[in-house]
Amino acid sequence: MSGLVLSIADRQPYDVQRRAVAAVNLQRERERDHVRSMRKTGNPVDVEYRDKPATLDAWYRAQPVKPGRISPRLVLTTDKKRLYGLPASARLVDLRGMGDEVDHWSIAVFPVLHGYVVGVKAPAGGGGVGVMWRKSYKASDYAMRLSVEHGFPIQERYA
């Protein structure tokens, strides 16, 4: 893309050429900073932290529900997955209808086919959002992290 910008700028006045070169250099510098940031912290520079809900469950509850649906669509960008400490390949699962209904908030661990679903389960059919994990130790670590973040007990339930 930068070659195309520079070739178009060659036919422009000197001031336009100078601004085009500066814009291309700035874009390259931002890309280098982005790569460095990803290597150091795992968090991208571009993502605004102030717009992020505090937890994945808060993000889920803030999603609009389209007419004709009973729950929001569970899709996160790769950058937002990293902000919530999830791997880029993480798959979100709606917890509505999984397991027994209880009268208190809890961290639920559901053994399912080919893995485990871990998430915050709301009382009385309130649903929630969970993350699918293939390895039991990763599911256990995520459940412990959620328990500490939210202050809820961990309950292993069978779907």
Side-chain angles (χ1 to χ4, degrees):
M1 183 174 135
S2 61
L4 177 66
V5 171
L6 293 177
S7 66
I8 292 172
D10 285 341
R11 294 177 270 163
Q12 301 296 323
Y14 178 72
D15 186 45
V16 174
Q17 291 179 22
R18 186 174 47 80
R19 285 185 289 163
V21 169
V24 169
N25 288 337
L26 180 63
Q27 179 64 30
R28 288 179 180 159
E29 184 178 327
R30 285 183 180 165
E31 287 174 4
R32 282 192 301 269
D33 289 345
H34 181 73
V35 169
R36 285 184 194 133
S37 172
M38 290 298 293
R39 286 183 184 151
K40 287 181 183 175
T41 64
N43 292 329
V45 175
D46 303 347
V47 179
E48 293 288 332
Y49 293 100
R50 58 185 153 82
D51 295 336
K52 176 191 108 160
T55 62
L56 187 60
D57 190 61
W59 168 84
Y60 168 76
R61 303 222 178 269
Q63 295 302 304
V65 178
K66 292 182 180 176
R69 296 190 63 130
I70 59 170
S71 63
R73 188 163 179 232
L74 302 176
V75 177
L76 272 178
T77 64
T78 305
D79 291 338
K80 286 210 174 188
K81 285 180 184 178
R82 285 192 190 102
L83 283 176
Y84 288 112
L86 301 174
S89 62
R91 200 178 81 199
L92 301 180
V93 178
D94 189 6
L95 297 181
R96 189 179 313 273
M98 290 186 79
D100 298 331
E101 299 300 332
V102 293
D103 59 350
H104 58 278
W105 288 83
S106 64
I107 307 302
V109 179
F110 298 107
V112 295
L113 186 63
H114 301 295
Y116 302 86
V117 175
V118 180
V120 179
K121 180 80 170 165
V129 64
V131 179
M132 177 75 170
W133 298 93
R134 297 226 182 264
K135 308 275 186 189
S136 62
Y137 70 92
K138 289 186 178 184
S140 177
D141 291 347
Y142 185 65
M144 288 299 293
R145 190 179 100 192
L146 285 179
S147 180
V148 169
E149 283 178 5
H150 293 281
F152 301 143
I154 298 175
Q155 293 187 346
E156 188 165 341
R157 301 190 203 155
Y158 292 93

